[in-house]
Amino acid sequence: MIAEAFEFPEINAILRWQDFFVSFNKVAAIAVVAALLGIIVFLVAGTKDAQVAPKGVRNLAESSVEFIENGIVMQTIGKDGLGWTPFLLSLFIFIYLCNMPGIIPLIQMPATARMAIPLFLALIVWVTYIGVGFKHQGLKYLGHTLWPPGVPVALKPLVGIIEFISNIIVRPFSLTVRLFANMLAGHILLVTFALLTQALVTAETMQWLLKPMMVLPFGMLIFLTGFELLVAFLQAYIFTILTAVYIGGSTHPEH
């Protein structure tokens, strides 16, 4: 029946994966491979002769470092933030490599489309920028966080509550949800149009009418795959640059 052909699977069927062993499934495997791949690329790049013009893996690694330094660190923290390049580079590479499997055939699942990994990364960022704030500003960091310069005394209680919720509670939550929700939405869209294309191709009734219509969802599938390639990069970039902004604000009291 046509209705059966268009039946969408339960949400668990596209979000949950059978464990390979206890608490280790496809999503965890993607995260491990992403981490190992990033480590291997930079280890291999580090073994190349620095006196020779970079090419191949070394060129990729150096381009990534320059992108983080010039496109993120210098724009948000400044020259004194270059020491944060390894941390920010690791975040960007890991998130990007976790995002990319969402468009790879047979894998088709970004590890960041599950809450655990974005939440874990956001908590690392949260601990980092708060720790940096107390390191550079001492207890004054709490005052700078709760009461921006120029706040009237009468408004300090209200502003303090708002700033505490915004800077201490909402930031890690927003970092988590922004990455998780965007990657999950893209994953569901790709699955939807892939299943719709399959349903039209395999429909047993009215084949002469339904099969030509499969061009429409298939075209959307191709378009969304290209779009998700851009989203994978943008979400890694946004997460990293926001991290740099938070660290910069903790480092410089005037911010």
Side-chain angles (χ1 to χ4, degrees), residues 175-201:
L175 273 177
T176 301
V177 173
R178 184 183 292 106
L179 177 58
F180 159 72
N182 277 282
M183 298 313 300
L184 176 61
H187 175 59
I188 292 177
L189 279 174
L190 290 177
V191 170
T192 299
F193 283 100
L195 290 174
L196 184 56
T197 301
Q198 181 185 26
L200 290 172
V201 170

PDB file of all heavy atoms in Angstrom, residues 175-201:
ATOM      1  N   LEU A 175      25.393  26.782  24.252  1.00  0.00           N
ATOM      2  CA  LEU A 175      26.433  26.137  23.455  1.00  0.00           C
ATOM      3  C   LEU A 175      26.028  24.710  23.093  1.00  0.00           C
ATOM      4  O   LEU A 175      26.183  24.263  21.954  1.00  0.00           O
ATOM      5  CB  LEU A 175      27.759  26.112  24.221  1.00  0.00           C
ATOM      6  CG  LEU A 175      28.691  27.316  24.115  1.00  0.00           C
ATOM      7  CD1 LEU A 175      29.914  27.105  25.003  1.00  0.00           C
ATOM      8  CD2 LEU A 175      29.111  27.581  22.685  1.00  0.00           C
ATOM      9  N   THR A 176      25.496  24.008  24.074  1.00  0.00           N
ATOM     10  CA  THR A 176      25.085  22.613  23.860  1.00  0.00           C
ATOM     11  C   THR A 176      23.950  22.512  22.860  1.00  0.00           C
ATOM     12  O   THR A 176      24.031  21.775  21.870  1.00  0.00           O
ATOM     13  CB  THR A 176      24.639  21.980  25.195  1.00  0.00           C
ATOM     14  OG1 THR A 176      25.711  22.036  26.126  1.00  0.00           O
ATOM     15  CG2 THR A 176      24.205  20.544  24.995  1.00  0.00           C
ATOM     16  N   VAL A 177      22.897  23.259  23.100  1.00  0.00           N
ATOM     17  CA  VAL A 177      21.687  23.148  22.279  1.00  0.00           C
ATOM     18  C   VAL A 177      21.933  23.637  20.854  1.00  0.00           C
ATOM     19  O   VAL A 177      21.414  23.052  19.894  1.00  0.00           O
ATOM     20  CB  VAL A 177      20.525  23.927  22.933  1.00  0.00           C
ATOM     21  CG1 VAL A 177      19.322  23.974  22.010  1.00  0.00           C
ATOM     22  CG2 VAL A 177      20.146  23.292  24.259  1.00  0.00           C
ATOM     23  N   ARG A 178      22.721  24.707  20.700  1.00  0.00           N
ATOM     24  CA  ARG A 178      22.986  25.242  19.356  1.00  0.00           C
ATOM     25  C   ARG A 178      23.626  24.174  18.465  1.00  0.00           C
ATOM     26  O   ARG A 178      23.204  23.955  17.331  1.00  0.00           O
ATOM     27  CB  ARG A 178      23.887  26.466  19.443  1.00  0.00           C
ATOM     28  CG  ARG A 178      24.138  27.135  18.082  1.00  0.00           C
ATOM     29  CD  ARG A 178      25.096  28.303  18.214  1.00  0.00           C
ATOM     30  NE  ARG A 178      24.505  29.391  18.962  1.00  0.00           N
ATOM     31  CZ  ARG A 178      24.834  29.713  20.215  1.00  0.00           C
ATOM     32  NH1 ARG A 178      25.755  29.003  20.856  1.00  0.00           N
ATOM     33  NH2 ARG A 178      24.259  30.710  20.829  1.00  0.00           N
ATOM     34  N   LEU A 179      24.635  23.506  18.991  1.00  0.00           N
ATOM     35  CA  LEU A 179      25.321  22.475  18.213  1.00  0.00           C
ATOM     36  C   LEU A 179      24.451  21.242  18.037  1.00  0.00           C
ATOM     37  O   LEU A 179      24.268  20.741  16.913  1.00  0.00           O
ATOM     38  CB  LEU A 179      26.640  22.106  18.905  1.00  0.00           C
ATOM     39  CG  LEU A 179      27.472  20.985  18.285  1.00  0.00           C
ATOM     40  CD1 LEU A 179      27.824  21.301  16.844  1.00  0.00           C
ATOM     41  CD2 LEU A 179      28.726  20.730  19.115  1.00  0.00           C
ATOM     42  N   PHE A 180      23.890  20.758  19.140  1.00  0.00           N
ATOM     43  CA  PHE A 180      23.080  19.538  19.113  1.00  0.00           C
ATOM     44  C   PHE A 180      21.852  19.688  18.213  1.00  0.00           C
ATOM     45  O   PHE A 180      21.585  18.841  17.358  1.00  0.00           O
ATOM     46  CB  PHE A 180      22.664  19.194  20.545  1.00  0.00           C
ATOM     47  CG  PHE A 180      21.464  18.302  20.656  1.00  0.00           C
ATOM     48  CD1 PHE A 180      21.547  16.959  20.327  1.00  0.00           C
ATOM     49  CD2 PHE A 180      20.244  18.802  21.098  1.00  0.00           C
ATOM     50  CE1 PHE A 180      20.436  16.129  20.433  1.00  0.00           C
ATOM     51  CE2 PHE A 180      19.141  17.992  21.207  1.00  0.00           C
ATOM     52  CZ  PHE A 180      19.233  16.646  20.870  1.00  0.00           C
ATOM     53  N   ALA A 181      21.107  20.788  18.380  1.00  0.00           N
ATOM     54  CA  ALA A 181      19.845  20.957  17.650  1.00  0.00           C
ATOM     55  C   ALA A 181      20.080  21.121  16.152  1.00  0.00           C
ATOM     56  O   ALA A 181      19.329  20.555  15.332  1.00  0.00           O
ATOM     57  CB  ALA A 181      19.096  22.164  18.202  1.00  0.00           C
ATOM     58  N   ASN A 182      21.102  21.875  15.769  1.00  0.00           N
ATOM     59  CA  ASN A 182      21.374  22.070  14.343  1.00  0.00           C
ATOM     60  C   ASN A 182      21.773  20.772  13.666  1.00  0.00           C
ATOM     61  O   ASN A 182      21.315  20.469  12.551  1.00  0.00           O
ATOM     62  CB  ASN A 182      22.474  23.118  14.154  1.00  0.00           C
ATOM     63  CG  ASN A 182      21.934  24.538  14.200  1.00  0.00           C
ATOM     64  OD1 ASN A 182      21.351  25.032  13.242  1.00  0.00           O
ATOM     65  ND2 ASN A 182      22.124  25.192  15.329  1.00  0.00           N
ATOM     66  N   MET A 183      22.630  19.992  14.320  1.00  0.00           N
ATOM     67  CA  MET A 183      23.068  18.737  13.706  1.00  0.00           C
ATOM     68  C   MET A 183      21.951  17.694  13.710  1.00  0.00           C
ATOM     69  O   MET A 183      21.813  16.918  12.751  1.00  0.00           O
ATOM     70  CB  MET A 183      24.304  18.199  14.435  1.00  0.00           C
ATOM     71  CG  MET A 183      25.510  19.124  14.381  1.00  0.00           C
ATOM     72  SD  MET A 183      25.882  19.795  12.737  1.00  0.00           S
ATOM     73  CE  MET A 183      26.174  18.302  11.793  1.00  0.00           C
ATOM     74  N   LEU A 184      21.142  17.689  14.762  1.00  0.00           N
ATOM     75  CA  LEU A 184      20.021  16.748  14.810  1.00  0.00           C
ATOM     76  C   LEU A 184      18.982  17.081  13.743  1.00  0.00           C
ATOM     77  O   LEU A 184      18.472  16.188  13.054  1.00  0.00           O
ATOM     78  CB  LEU A 184      19.370  16.767  16.194  1.00  0.00           C
ATOM     79  CG  LEU A 184      18.123  15.898  16.367  1.00  0.00           C
ATOM     80  CD1 LEU A 184      18.449  14.435  16.112  1.00  0.00           C
ATOM     81  CD2 LEU A 184      17.538  16.079  17.763  1.00  0.00           C
ATOM     82  N   ALA A 185      18.677  18.372  13.578  1.00  0.00           N
ATOM     83  CA  ALA A 185      17.700  18.787  12.571  1.00  0.00           C
ATOM     84  C   ALA A 185      18.161  18.397  11.171  1.00  0.00           C
ATOM     85  O   ALA A 185      17.375  17.888  10.355  1.00  0.00           O
ATOM     86  CB  ALA A 185      17.481  20.299  12.657  1.00  0.00           C
ATOM     87  N   GLY A 186      19.442  18.613  10.893  1.00  0.00           N
ATOM     88  CA  GLY A 186      19.966  18.235   9.586  1.00  0.00           C
ATOM     89  C   GLY A 186      19.901  16.736   9.357  1.00  0.00           C
ATOM     90  O   GLY A 186      19.564  16.268   8.263  1.00  0.00           O
ATOM     91  N   HIS A 187      20.214  15.975  10.399  1.00  0.00           N
ATOM     92  CA  HIS A 187      20.166  14.510  10.299  1.00  0.00           C
ATOM     93  C   HIS A 187      18.751  14.027   9.998  1.00  0.00           C
ATOM     94  O   HIS A 187      18.540  13.173   9.115  1.00  0.00           O
ATOM     95  CB  HIS A 187      20.665  13.902  11.610  1.00  0.00           C
ATOM     96  CG  HIS A 187      20.547  12.414  11.681  1.00  0.00           C
ATOM     97  ND1 HIS A 187      21.165  11.570  10.786  1.00  0.00           N
ATOM     98  CD2 HIS A 187      19.865  11.610  12.547  1.00  0.00           C
ATOM     99  CE1 HIS A 187      20.882  10.314  11.090  1.00  0.00           C
ATOM    100  NE2 HIS A 187      20.095  10.315  12.150  1.00  0.00           N
ATOM    101  N   ILE A 188      17.774  14.585  10.692  1.00  0.00           N
ATOM    102  CA  ILE A 188      16.377  14.168  10.487  1.00  0.00           C
ATOM    103  C   ILE A 188      15.902  14.546   9.084  1.00  0.00           C
ATOM    104  O   ILE A 188      15.187  13.780   8.422  1.00  0.00           O
ATOM    105  CB  ILE A 188      15.473  14.787  11.566  1.00  0.00           C
ATOM    106  CG1 ILE A 188      15.792  14.170  12.935  1.00  0.00           C
ATOM    107  CG2 ILE A 188      14.005  14.581  11.229  1.00  0.00           C
ATOM    108  CD1 ILE A 188      15.005  14.763  14.082  1.00  0.00           C
ATOM    109  N   LEU A 189      16.300  15.726   8.602  1.00  0.00           N
ATOM    110  CA  LEU A 189      15.908  16.137   7.252  1.00  0.00           C
ATOM    111  C   LEU A 189      16.476  15.193   6.195  1.00  0.00           C
ATOM    112  O   LEU A 189      15.776  14.789   5.261  1.00  0.00           O
ATOM    113  CB  LEU A 189      16.386  17.565   6.984  1.00  0.00           C
ATOM    114  CG  LEU A 189      15.525  18.697   7.550  1.00  0.00           C
ATOM    115  CD1 LEU A 189      16.206  20.038   7.317  1.00  0.00           C
ATOM    116  CD2 LEU A 189      14.138  18.693   6.900  1.00  0.00           C
ATOM    117  N   LEU A 190      17.750  14.852   6.348  1.00  0.00           N
ATOM    118  CA  LEU A 190      18.365  13.934   5.383  1.00  0.00           C
ATOM    119  C   LEU A 190      17.681  12.567   5.407  1.00  0.00           C
ATOM    120  O   LEU A 190      17.416  11.978   4.354  1.00  0.00           O
ATOM    121  CB  LEU A 190      19.856  13.779   5.683  1.00  0.00           C
ATOM    122  CG  LEU A 190      20.741  14.995   5.404  1.00  0.00           C
ATOM    123  CD1 LEU A 190      22.184  14.722   5.816  1.00  0.00           C
ATOM    124  CD2 LEU A 190      20.685  15.386   3.932  1.00  0.00           C
ATOM    125  N   VAL A 191      17.396  12.070   6.602  1.00  0.00           N
ATOM    126  CA  VAL A 191      16.709  10.779   6.717  1.00  0.00           C
ATOM    127  C   VAL A 191      15.324  10.858   6.087  1.00  0.00           C
ATOM    128  O   VAL A 191      14.892   9.940   5.363  1.00  0.00           O
ATOM    129  CB  VAL A 191      16.598  10.360   8.199  1.00  0.00           C
ATOM    130  CG1 VAL A 191      15.677   9.153   8.348  1.00  0.00           C
ATOM    131  CG2 VAL A 191      17.975  10.028   8.756  1.00  0.00           C
ATOM    132  N   THR A 192      14.619  11.956   6.314  1.00  0.00           N
ATOM    133  CA  THR A 192      13.263  12.111   5.789  1.00  0.00           C
ATOM    134  C   THR A 192      13.239  12.047   4.273  1.00  0.00           C
ATOM    135  O   THR A 192      12.451  11.292   3.668  1.00  0.00           O
ATOM    136  CB  THR A 192      12.656  13.444   6.259  1.00  0.00           C
ATOM    137  OG1 THR A 192      12.587  13.463   7.687  1.00  0.00           O
ATOM    138  CG2 THR A 192      11.259  13.632   5.683  1.00  0.00           C
ATOM    139  N   PHE A 193      14.095  12.826   3.627  1.00  0.00           N
ATOM    140  CA  PHE A 193      14.081  12.848   2.156  1.00  0.00           C
ATOM    141  C   PHE A 193      14.674  11.573   1.555  1.00  0.00           C
ATOM    142  O   PHE A 193      14.279  11.159   0.463  1.00  0.00           O
ATOM    143  CB  PHE A 193      14.822  14.089   1.641  1.00  0.00           C
ATOM    144  CG  PHE A 193      14.006  15.337   1.757  1.00  0.00           C
ATOM    145  CD1 PHE A 193      14.214  16.221   2.799  1.00  0.00           C
ATOM    146  CD2 PHE A 193      13.004  15.614   0.837  1.00  0.00           C
ATOM    147  CE1 PHE A 193      13.447  17.376   2.911  1.00  0.00           C
ATOM    148  CE2 PHE A 193      12.233  16.758   0.943  1.00  0.00           C
ATOM    149  CZ  PHE A 193      12.450  17.649   1.992  1.00  0.00           C
ATOM    150  N   ALA A 194      15.595  10.925   2.270  1.00  0.00           N
ATOM    151  CA  ALA A 194      16.116   9.646   1.792  1.00  0.00           C
ATOM    152  C   ALA A 194      15.026   8.587   1.827  1.00  0.00           C
ATOM    153  O   ALA A 194      14.870   7.802   0.878  1.00  0.00           O
ATOM    154  CB  ALA A 194      17.310   9.229   2.645  1.00  0.00           C
ATOM    155  N   LEU A 195      14.255   8.551   2.910  1.00  0.00           N
ATOM    156  CA  LEU A 195      13.170   7.572   3.025  1.00  0.00           C
ATOM    157  C   LEU A 195      12.055   7.855   2.031  1.00  0.00           C
ATOM    158  O   LEU A 195      11.461   6.927   1.466  1.00  0.00           O
ATOM    159  CB  LEU A 195      12.614   7.581   4.451  1.00  0.00           C
ATOM    160  CG  LEU A 195      13.531   7.006   5.538  1.00  0.00           C
ATOM    161  CD1 LEU A 195      12.913   7.206   6.916  1.00  0.00           C
ATOM    162  CD2 LEU A 195      13.805   5.531   5.296  1.00  0.00           C
ATOM    163  N   LEU A 196      11.776   9.138   1.799  1.00  0.00           N
ATOM    164  CA  LEU A 196      10.739   9.499   0.838  1.00  0.00           C
ATOM    165  C   LEU A 196      11.153   9.084  -0.574  1.00  0.00           C
ATOM    166  O   LEU A 196      10.342   8.554  -1.338  1.00  0.00           O
ATOM    167  CB  LEU A 196      10.487  11.003   0.885  1.00  0.00           C
ATOM    168  CG  LEU A 196       9.363  11.546  -0.001  1.00  0.00           C
ATOM    169  CD1 LEU A 196       8.056  10.845   0.305  1.00  0.00           C
ATOM    170  CD2 LEU A 196       9.231  13.052   0.186  1.00  0.00           C
ATOM    171  N   THR A 197      12.415   9.290  -0.909  1.00  0.00           N
ATOM    172  CA  THR A 197      12.920   8.861  -2.215  1.00  0.00           C
ATOM    173  C   THR A 197      12.805   7.352  -2.361  1.00  0.00           C
ATOM    174  O   THR A 197      12.347   6.839  -3.393  1.00  0.00           O
ATOM    175  CB  THR A 197      14.391   9.290  -2.384  1.00  0.00           C
ATOM    176  OG1 THR A 197      14.489  10.702  -2.260  1.00  0.00           O
ATOM    177  CG2 THR A 197      14.919   8.864  -3.744  1.00  0.00           C
ATOM    178  N   GLN A 198      13.212   6.623  -1.321  1.00  0.00           N
ATOM    179  CA  GLN A 198      13.140   5.156  -1.356  1.00  0.00           C
ATOM    180  C   GLN A 198      11.702   4.678  -1.481  1.00  0.00           C
ATOM    181  O   GLN A 198      11.416   3.726  -2.231  1.00  0.00           O
ATOM    182  CB  GLN A 198      13.782   4.583  -0.101  1.00  0.00           C
ATOM    183  CG  GLN A 198      13.788   3.060  -0.062  1.00  0.00           C
ATOM    184  CD  GLN A 198      14.332   2.516   1.244  1.00  0.00           C
ATOM    185  OE1 GLN A 198      14.267   3.188   2.271  1.00  0.00           O
ATOM    186  NE2 GLN A 198      14.879   1.318   1.219  1.00  0.00           N
ATOM    187  N   ALA A 199      10.799   5.347  -0.757  1.00  0.00           N
ATOM    188  CA  ALA A 199       9.396   4.933  -0.790  1.00  0.00           C
ATOM    189  C   ALA A 199       8.804   5.095  -2.185  1.00  0.00           C
ATOM    190  O   ALA A 199       8.036   4.241  -2.658  1.00  0.00           O
ATOM    191  CB  ALA A 199       8.597   5.750   0.227  1.00  0.00           C
ATOM    192  N   LEU A 200       9.161   6.184  -2.865  1.00  0.00           N
ATOM    193  CA  LEU A 200       8.627   6.421  -4.206  1.00  0.00           C
ATOM    194  C   LEU A 200       9.216   5.443  -5.219  1.00  0.00           C
ATOM    195  O   LEU A 200       8.530   5.001  -6.148  1.00  0.00           O
ATOM    196  CB  LEU A 200       8.921   7.861  -4.634  1.00  0.00           C
ATOM    197  CG  LEU A 200       8.138   8.944  -3.879  1.00  0.00           C
ATOM    198  CD1 LEU A 200       8.651  10.329  -4.256  1.00  0.00           C
ATOM    199  CD2 LEU A 200       6.649   8.837  -4.171  1.00  0.00           C
ATOM    200  N   VAL A 201      10.477   5.086  -5.026  1.00  0.00           N
ATOM    201  CA  VAL A 201      11.125   4.153  -5.957  1.00  0.00           C
ATOM    202  C   VAL A 201      10.566   2.747  -5.800  1.00  0.00           C
ATOM    203  O   VAL A 201      10.369   2.026  -6.785  1.00  0.00           O
ATOM    204  CB  VAL A 201      12.657   4.148  -5.728  1.00  0.00           C
ATOM    205  CG1 VAL A 201      13.313   3.010  -6.512  1.00  0.00           C
ATOM    206  CG2 VAL A 201      13.251   5.483  -6.148  1.00  0.00           C
TER     207      VAL A 201
END
